[in-house]
Amino acid sequence: MTIKSADIDYDKYIFYNEFQRIQPSQSMVRPDLEMYWVTSIEPSQSSLIIKLIKQKFQYTTGQTKHLKRFKKKLDVEKHVILDVAICPTSDIDEDKLREILKEGLNVQNISLLKTEIPTNKPFDRELNMEWSKRYWPLVWKGNPMVQELHESFKLFSRDTTMKYLEEISDISEKSTKDVPVVTMFVDPRTDTVKSIQEDERCDEDPMKHSIMCCIDDIAKKELKRRQLVKDDKEINSYLCLNYDVYTTHEPCTMCAMALLHSRIGRLIYIEESPVTGAIGEKSGCRYMIHISCTLNWKYECFRYMGNALPKRRIDPLVQI
Ligand SMILES: [Zn+2]
């Protein structure tokens, strides 16, 4: 499958202009700049500065893996001078840093300036070169996030996704329930619907959110199946393993956790729940439960951003 770059927005992680992959927003198109202290040295001082960085600024190696420490330049007399990125300016004040450099380099005059440096990686080699020229020399070893995004894109079918979203949206629109939320579990390997449920909460059972109803329904069906089939070789302890879940509204913490426990593969929702949601970067308590990785499992999430589906608003304080 060839990927057309117009189909992926590398800035906001959107497929086909309509499906936003929910992940921490770190652009691969725009540089996130941070101010760094930069000092200029003679090439003969480079081993001293490397030693000094190891002693005093070792902690910066993790955050500077994508940077080159040194930037070559020529002074007015065409002598080679090296600019060295030390650390973010927010880490240490100027006087203190001057003292450290004076002692470490064994010189009296220290040149110190502030330079903006990209803290994120661009999505391709060309942009890497552009940022290197404009800001600071960057190392290029590819960007693993691009790889992840491409893998995700290859497995994403716009037609299949829209087909199921239209179906649940339709049921939600006609629903007379107090909370018109609809969820559908699909096994993507066979493209079969495993369960489709509406919200069933009531005074006796306020936990019957539509996702919980689906999980419950699938468990009951499996129990029945196991009672009928003896000597089953297909027993799988995760009944919803790698399933796709389509739901009309961003789920609450309980449901998002239940999906994690069930080891689903993907969640696709239509409407955001800014107050009670547990998925969106800015939703609720900002948990982003699908990638918070406490259970050694993650699932992908997408939010539908298009206008082709009617949206049913629900009181923002209601847990979905
Ligand atoms: Zn819920």
Side-chain angles (χ1 to χ4, degrees), residues 41-43 72-75 77-82:
I41 60 164
E42 299 281 340
K72 241 189 220 175
K73 65 177 186 188
L74 298 176
D75 68 6
E77 283 150 10
K78 305 250 161 118
H79 291 136
V80 173
I81 298 284
L82 297 175

Side-chain angles (χ1 to χ4, degrees), residues 261-276:
H261 282 290
S262 304
R263 306 209 160 186
I264 67 148
R266 281 188 296 203
L267 169 72
I268 300 112
Y269 61 86
I270 302 170
E271 188 87 353
E272 283 179 294
S273 308
V275 183
T276 61

Side-chain angles (χ1 to χ4, degrees), residues 52-281:
L52 187 66
I53 288 172
K54 259 194 188 152
Q55 282 171 353
K56 306 275 185 184
F57 303 98
Q58 181 68 24
Y59 71 94
T60 60
T61 45
Q63 69 212 52
T64 54
K65 267 187 191 148
H66 66 301
L67 304 176
K68 294 182 179 166
R69 278 282 179 185
F70 297 94
K71 180 183 182 179
K72 241 189 220 175
K73 65 177 186 188
L74 298 176
D75 68 6
V76 279
E77 283 150 10
K78 305 250 161 118
H79 291 136
V80 173
I81 298 284
L82 297 175
D83 276 353
V84 189
I86 307 288
C87 66
T89 55
S90 54
D91 288 359
I92 187 167
D93 66 48
E94 186 172 346
D95 293 341
K96 205 168 169 193
L97 181 57
R98 273 186 195 282
E99 284 312 308
I100 292 174
L101 291 172
K102 271 184 195 173
E103 204 187 311
L105 298 175
N106 206 12
V107 286
Q108 277 313 301
N109 286 331
I110 295 294
S111 103
L112 208 52
L113 50 115
K114 292 178 178 182
T115 300
E116 282 186 315
I117 287 181
T119 57
N120 53 333
K121 285 184 195 168
F123 75 99
D124 71 2
R125 187 185 290 274
E126 279 81 64
L127 200 56
N128 199 72
M129 269 158 62
E130 196 186 312
W131 291 5
S132 295
K133 262 189 211 150
R134 190 181 299 177
Y135 303 105
W136 188 265
L138 305 177
V139 178
W140 180 249
K141 288 182 191 155
N143 185 336
M145 186 43 73
V146 172
Q147 195 108 8
E148 187 182 317
L149 211 58
H150 285 177
E151 291 304 316
S152 166
F153 183 81
K154 282 183 209 162
L155 294 171
F156 190 92
S157 159
R158 179 167 42 174
D159 291 346
T160 308
T161 305
M162 278 315 284
K163 176 179 78 178
Y164 291 128
L165 288 184
E166 274 165 16
E167 204 173 325
I168 56 168
S169 169
D170 209 37
I171 298 169
S172 170
E173 211 188 7
K174 291 176 186 140
S175 174
T176 53
K177 305 267 182 195
D178 292 342
V179 182
V181 180
V182 182
T183 297
M184 178 194 269
F185 278 48
V186 173
D187 184 347
R189 285 158 295 195
T190 51
D191 196 24
T192 43
V193 176
K194 294 294 181 178
S195 181
I196 178 161
Q197 300 289 322
E198 289 191 62
D199 189 285
E200 298 289 350
R201 74 188 69 190
C202 53
D203 291 343
E204 300 79 57
D205 198 344
M207 303 301 199
K208 282 192 163 177
H209 300 185
S210 60
I211 286 177
M212 303 308 279
C213 294
C214 280
I215 293 173
D216 194 40
D217 179 44
I218 289 170
K220 280 182 184 145
K221 283 176 186 160
E222 176 65 10
L223 188 67
K224 250 189 204 159
R225 193 188 68 83
R226 284 184 196 179
Q227 282 164 349
L228 290 172
V229 184
K230 303 271 183 274
D231 286 337
D232 189 2
K233 291 184 184 72
E234 253 186 67
I235 286 187
N236 175 4
S237 49
Y238 295 105
L239 302 181
C240 307
L241 185 69
N242 289 321
Y243 278 9
D244 286 344
V245 174
Y246 299 88
T247 189
T248 52
H249 296 73
E250 180 186 348
C252 71
T253 307
M254 171 183 74
C255 292
M257 279 302 287
L259 294 176
L260 200 63
H261 282 290
S262 304
R263 306 209 160 186
I264 67 148
R266 281 188 296 203
L267 169 72
I268 300 112
Y269 61 86
I270 302 170
E271 188 87 353
E272 283 179 294
S273 308
V275 183
T276 61
I279 302 294
E281 193 177 18

Side-chain angles (χ1 to χ4, degrees), residues 215 238 254-264 288-299:
I215 293 173
Y238 295 105
M254 171 183 74
C255 292
M257 279 302 287
L259 294 176
L260 200 63
H261 282 290
S262 304
R263 306 209 160 186
I264 67 148
M288 298 185 93
I289 279 178
H290 62 299
I291 47 169
S292 59
C293 218
T294 48
L295 291 169
N296 198 23
W297 186 260
K298 290 177 190 180
Y299 53 92

